[in-house]
Amino acid sequence: MAKKASSASKRAKETAAPESRESIEAQVQAFLANGGRIEQVPKGVSGQTNTSGPRHITLGKKPRS
C-alpha cells in the first residue's frame, strides 16, 4: 500500500507551483525588458540542426572494414 503524503509535504507542493510561476514570469519580463525576443516555433519543428551521421551506436564491437 502506498504511503500517504503528510499534510506538511502536501502544503509544500501546493505552494511551490505559484512561486515557480511567479519566478518564471519575472524572468520572462526581465528578458523582454533587456531586449530579448520570444520566437514561436511551429508545432512539429525540431531543434536538431545536424541529422547526418550514424543513427545507431554499437558498443563493444569493432566497426566492419
Side-chain angles (χ1 to χ4, degrees), residues 2 5-7 9-10 16-19 25-27 31 38 40 43 46-47 49-50 52-53 55-56 58 60:
S6 69
S7 60
S9 65
K10 189 175 179 181
E19 291 172 358
E25 180 64 28
Q27 291 174 35
F31 175 76
I38 297 175
Q40 290 189 336
K43 185 176 181 179
S46 173
T49 55
N50 185 7
S52 63
R55 294 179 183 239
H56 300 284
T58 304

Side-chain angles (χ1 to χ4, degrees), residues 6-59:
S6 69
S7 60
S9 65
K10 189 175 179 181
R11 279 192 301 263
K13 289 179 185 177
E14 291 172 358
T15 60
E19 291 172 358
S20 296
R21 274 187 239 116
E22 291 169 358
S23 173
I24 291 170
E25 180 64 28
Q27 291 174 35
V28 169
Q29 293 305 321
F31 175 76
L32 294 173
N34 286 322
R37 280 187 11 185
I38 297 175
E39 178 183 346
Q40 290 189 336
V41 178
K43 185 176 181 179
V45 173
S46 173
Q48 281 186 315
T49 55
N50 185 7
T51 56
S52 63
R55 294 179 183 239
H56 300 284
I57 297 174
T58 304
L59 301 175

